[in-house]
Amino acid sequence: MIIGVLSLQGDVIEHINHIKKTGYIGVEVKTKQDIDAIDALILPGGESTAIGRLLRITELEDYLKQKIINGLPVWGTCAGMILLAKNIDGEDKVHLGIMNIKVKRNAYGTQLDSFIIQRTIENISKNPIDMIFIRAPYIEEFSETVTPLIYVDGNLVAAKENNILVTSFHPELTDNTTFLNYFINEIC
Ligand code: GLN
């Protein structure tokens, strides 16, 4: 299986290296041809406004949207979650706008309010894993087609809907591939 990482802006290389740890092939995705050559896609963390703008400039937005609607497995981390959301709190414009969630950007405050916690996650990890939040969003609302996966302090920070997985945090910045394996085994 070949896992692509959308490579317009954000923590692309961290995801590619993380994929290598599982033994799968991780490739950069910048064109429609790249999208056609992958089995699954990761939308990295970064700045959703910048990635969204680049998606439009490169004319990838509609193509990618259609691929995901047609079933391409996709995992959005942090900014990637925002790109996939159908609603963004306080903003009129959305990006891919596919997943039935409403997200709040920078929900924990500024860069200085970034944090790491350790949690054992029911049905996903038996041992505590590091969860890294960097100017992270969380999910404020979701429709009944969405399965909530992880709450931290009452806020929803991971969820799935059909072929789409989203996390507010960054497993790719740790050595622990539990969450990537979850994506591969449960979504792909
Ligand atoms: N705050 C960023 C945004 O709104 C997301 C941060 C991240 O991906 N770590 O797009």
Side-chain angles (χ1 to χ4, degrees), residues 20-186:
K20 278 185 193 151
K21 286 183 194 141
T22 64
Y24 287 96
I25 301 166
V27 296
E28 294 192 6
V29 168
K30 291 183 178 159
T31 64
K32 291 176 186 168
Q33 289 80 354
D34 294 340
I35 295 172
D36 288 341
I38 56 172
D39 302 301
L41 179 67
I42 292 173
L43 305 181
E47 186 57 45
S48 55
T49 316
I51 302 174
R53 190 172 299 154
L54 289 166
L55 274 174
R56 284 184 284 280
I57 291 170
T58 54
E59 295 179 1
L60 285 181
E61 189 180 65
D62 290 341
Y63 194 75
L64 183 55
K65 187 172 174 171
Q66 206 49 53
K67 282 276 177 181
I68 298 170
I69 289 168
N70 290 344
L72 178 71
V74 61
W75 174 21
T77 56
C78 203
M81 169 196 274
I82 297 164
L83 290 170
L84 289 162
K86 259 193 190 159
N87 280 290
I88 304 173
D89 193 341
E91 296 184 21
D92 299 331
K93 250 183 33 199
V94 295
H95 304 286
L96 295 165
I98 304 169
M99 188 176 190
N100 287 297
I101 54 173
K102 179 178 182 182
V103 297
K104 183 176 171 65
R105 291 179 68 195
N106 303 321
Y108 297 94
T110 69
Q111 189 84 8
L112 291 175
D113 300 305
S114 299
F115 59 98
I116 305 178
I117 56 165
Q118 284 79 33
R119 286 282 195 287
T120 305
I121 300 162
E122 206 185 331
N123 299 327
I124 297 179
S125 83
K126 291 193 190 81
N127 302 312
I129 60 170
D130 283 341
M131 298 168 75
I132 301 178
F133 293 82
I134 303 169
R135 284 198 306 128
Y138 59 62
I139 299 169
E140 289 183 318
E141 293 170 19
F142 56 94
S143 76
E144 59 200 19
T145 51
V146 172
T147 306
L149 294 173
I150 307 172
Y151 284 91
V152 170
D153 300 334
N155 298 317
L156 184 58
V157 297
K160 65 176 179 172
E161 182 179 36
N162 304 318
N163 54 318
I164 304 174
L165 174 69
V166 291
T167 57
S168 299
F169 51 95
H170 293 272
E172 75 282 6
L173 300 182
T174 74
D175 284 332
N176 191 320
T177 55
T178 302
F179 226 85
L180 177 56
N181 283 318
Y182 178 81
F183 173 59
I184 292 166
N185 296 327
E186 302 295 326

